[in-house]
Amino acid sequence: MVCTYQSIRCIRNAFKKDELGLEIAQIALPAALALMADPIASLIDTAFIGRIGPVELAAVGVSIAVFNQVSRVAIFPLVGVTTSFVAEEDATTKMADEELEIGDIKFPNEIKELLSDSDETGHSLSFSANISTNSVKTEIERKHIPSVSTALVIGGIIGLLQTILLVFGARPILNIMGVKPDSLMMTPACQYLTLRSLGAPATVLSMAMQGVFRGFKDTKTPLYATVAGDATNIILDPIFMFVFKLGVSGAAIAHVISQYLIAVILLWRLLRRVEVLPPSISDLQFHRFLKNGFLLLARVIAVTFCITMSASIAARMGSVTMAAFQICLQVWLTISLLSDGLAVAGQAILASAFARRDYQKAASTASRVLQWGVILGLFLCLFLGGGLQFMSKLFTNDADVLHLIHIAIPFVALSQPINALAFCFDGINFGASDFAYSAYSLVMVSIVSIICIMFLSSSYGFIGLWMALTIYMSLRMFAGFLRIGTGSGPWTFLQNFP
């Protein structure tokens, strides 16, 4: 296969300190840290709540699973298309701005230097140059990119709808998830889910803005905002939970405050860089967003259904099993997000490369991202294999919960290389705007995975759940490999590569 040959041939260049490697690292590292920040905050919530008791831990586990999966349905399509579209429009704008336009006259880039030579050309030219230079700087600082305004409008609407759904449907949704009305988990689970849902508009908007910054290949700004918000969450958690004695409600309130802080910081930074208000309604790109967004919506629903079904089955097995499953799932997803940072870098760089028709860079970027994904996955496998047994005691002291966690360690650890490649392939295909294939392939993967989840969980219980999740991620990896590996779709140009 084309992709396999090129990746093996260039594996010695995985850590080559060239321009491409530096660009990937500068995008991937902050992106990974930002992606991990919120799950880490949830892990800290889990650690604090675990000190209250296993019932509250299991209740919050179900609530977090519901909120995160609903959020994924709302956020993932929006962020996915926003990153690609902003990267494409930004690359196209830069190509168009290679010549400086003043009035009706276009000057090559070299003329910019002449405009600043006021001493040799006199006051009149100096005055004109200053105006021209300032106007250029203003244009650079505040770009007009229609995808930005569209993403914020759609994000605001989706966030409000998510809040309404979860506030008024908390109990029925929790019941579907396996929490019975007479269960001890119902009250704390409903309290946590209802309060945390109030932060949904901020969560969706902040993620939409993160998609914009990723499109600009700027992942540092979202990182700073996320760290500031989650640090606030960590500080407020024990204050609301134990000082004010609000319990699980305190944890939810702290999280909501942190989400609004993140949204405010990102909006402040975005207003300095982009014209957020569109010139007219017709300037918005609703059709383009909705067309590709619905494809990714089908994809994320399929993905969400697998995870949600697993959590629901674990909840039906009892509070101890659900508590163990929640801890393992949070660690599994949090650590895997390091690989998702590579996917973000691959998507942003590839979207820009395809917009410029720079297929050589597209091929090199895909190859390098996959190489790093393999290496990172192996490292995470070793890290979790040796450390999760000790880290699990940070979340609970319950002996039964710890026993189940130790059983799941081999699956959580050994699946990391598979997860890394699956996430990297997602980012690569998104960067090529191959949304249709990503959607259809994941629907097929999820159908097979759901069958595995039902059969293996009924036959092997808790272990069966993790066997099924490992199969699910393996199928995701294969689906991603099939497209680029065979050089089909947007990757047909690979067939002409030596």
Side-chain angles (χ1 to χ4, degrees):
M1 293 205 176
V2 178
C3 179
T4 305
Y5 173 72
Q6 185 180 12
S7 297
I8 293 174
R9 185 188 67 176
C10 300
I11 193 68
R12 64 181 182 276
N13 296 326
F15 295 106
K16 184 179 180 180
K17 297 180 180 179
D18 56 2
E19 184 179 350
L20 177 59
L22 182 61
E23 185 178 15
I24 293 174
Q26 288 177 339
I27 299 173
L29 183 57
L33 294 176
L35 286 166
M36 289 183 63
D38 188 63
I40 286 175
S42 295
L43 280 174
I44 293 174
D45 282 351
T46 303
F48 280 124
I49 294 168
R51 302 301 172 183
I52 300 177
V55 172
E56 287 77 7
L57 178 61
V60 171
V62 176
S63 299
I64 290 177
V66 170
F67 185 87
N68 286 347
Q69 298 311 317
V70 173
S71 294
R72 279 184 62 84
V73 172
I75 290 171
F76 188 84
L78 179 61
V79 176
V81 297
T82 298
T83 300
S84 293
F85 292 168
V86 170
E88 291 171 3
E89 291 180 23
D90 189 41
T92 304
T93 301
K94 289 178 180 177
M95 292 173 65
D97 290 343
E98 288 180 355
E99 292 183 340
L100 178 63
E101 182 177 356
I102 301 178
D104 295 327
I105 303 175
K106 291 186 178 180
F107 295 93
N109 290 333
E110 291 80 2
I111 300 301
K112 297 178 185 179
E113 298 179 3
L114 297 178
L115 293 176
S116 62
D117 294 336
S118 59
D119 291 338
E120 298 180 5
T121 57
H123 295 288
S124 178
L125 182 56
S126 174
F127 177 75
S128 176
N130 288 336
I131 294 177
S132 301
T133 305
N134 289 336
S135 65
V136 171
K137 288 181 179 179
T138 302
E139 184 68 22
I140 292 175
E141 290 176 358
R142 292 177 61 86
K143 299 179 180 180
H144 172 58
I145 297 181
S147 294
V148 175
S149 304
T150 310
L152 293 181
V153 172
I154 295 176
I157 295 173
I158 291 175
L160 290 174
L161 292 176
Q162 182 179 342
T163 296
I164 294 172
L165 170 66
L166 293 180
V167 167
F168 292 99
R171 287 185 177 274
I173 293 173
L174 289 171
N175 193 21
I176 294 173
M177 287 292 293
V179 182
K180 298 179 180 179
D182 58 348
S183 172
L184 294 176
M185 292 190 291
M186 178 56 79
T187 299
C190 191
Q191 289 176 351
Y192 186 90
L193 182 58
T194 302
L195 288 172
R196 184 160 173 173
S197 300
L198 298 178
T203 301
V204 178
L205 278 174
S206 64
M207 288 305 300
M209 287 185 281
Q210 286 192 42
V212 173
F213 283 107
R214 290 176 190 175
F216 290 141
K217 301 180 183 178
D218 174 12
T219 51
K220 291 183 180 179
T221 298
L223 172 62
Y224 298 149
T226 304
V227 169
D230 287 339
T232 302
N233 181 31
I234 294 171
I235 294 171
L236 293 179
D237 258 344
I239 295 175
F240 285 133
M241 291 176 64
F242 304 118
V243 177
F244 294 157
K245 298 181 179 179
L246 295 176
V248 297
S249 297
I253 294 171
H255 197 89
V256 169
I257 293 174
S258 71
Q259 291 303 305
Y260 278 98
L261 177 60
I262 293 171
V264 169
I265 294 173
L266 288 175
L267 183 60
W268 170 62
R269 296 295 298 177
L270 189 61
L271 288 172
R272 299 178 60 183
R273 189 165 184 172
V274 181
E275 294 179 359
V276 173
L277 295 177
S280 64
I281 298 298
S282 60
D283 196 54
L284 297 175
Q285 300 181 352
F286 288 125
H287 175 72
R288 188 184 184 203
F289 265 75
L290 293 177
K291 176 184 176 181
N292 293 281
F294 276 121
L295 287 172
L296 290 187
L297 179 62
R299 182 184 190 278
V300 75
I301 288 176
V303 172
T304 299
F305 198 84
C306 290
I307 301 297
T308 304
M309 173 177 281
S310 300
S312 176
I313 292 174
R316 295 175 190 277
M317 293 179 181
S319 60
V320 172
T321 302
M322 182 58 204
F325 181 82
Q326 169 63 16
I327 292 173
C328 291
L329 184 66
Q330 286 294 321
V331 172
W332 192 60
L333 294 176
T334 302
I335 296 298
S336 295
L337 287 176
L338 281 170
S339 306
D340 216 13
L342 284 174
V344 170
Q347 180 182 3
I349 297 173
L350 282 166
S352 178
F354 273 100
R356 294 175 177 269
R357 301 185 186 278
D358 187 352
Y359 297 125
Q360 179 62 55
K361 184 171 184 179
S364 299
T365 300
S367 178
R368 189 71 63 88
V369 167
L370 292 176
Q371 292 164 13
W372 284 17
V374 172
I375 295 170
L376 179 59
L378 292 174
F379 170 78
L380 294 177
C381 175
L382 295 175
F383 173 75
L384 287 179
L388 185 55
Q389 184 171 356
F390 303 100
M391 288 190 297
S392 60
K393 296 180 181 179
L394 297 174
F395 305 109
T396 182
N397 292 323
D398 189 280
D400 293 332
V401 175
L402 288 173
H403 174 69
L404 288 178
I405 292 174
H406 295 165
I407 292 176
I409 288 177
F411 298 98
V412 176
L414 293 176
S415 62
Q416 289 306 312
I418 299 172
N419 295 358
L421 283 175
F423 287 133
C424 287
F425 275 121
D426 288 345
I428 288 171
N429 286 323
F430 291 167
S433 294
D434 198 7
F435 299 121
Y437 175 79
S438 296
Y440 298 143
S441 63
L442 254 294
V443 169
M444 296 302 298
V445 165
S446 296
I447 291 174
V448 176
S449 300
I450 289 169
I451 295 173
C452 292
I453 290 171
M454 295 177 63
F455 174 75
L456 293 174
S457 64
S458 62
S459 301
Y460 302 100
F462 181 74
I463 297 178
L465 281 176
W466 284 103
M467 292 170 61
L469 287 175
T470 303
I471 293 172
Y472 158 67
M473 291 305 300
S474 299
L475 292 175
R476 280 185 63 175
M477 178 192 69
F478 177 76
F481 172 78
L482 188 63
R483 187 65 154 179
I484 186 173
T486 57
S488 57
W491 301 98
T492 52
F493 69 88
L494 289 175
Q495 297 176 6
N496 300 323
F497 275 54

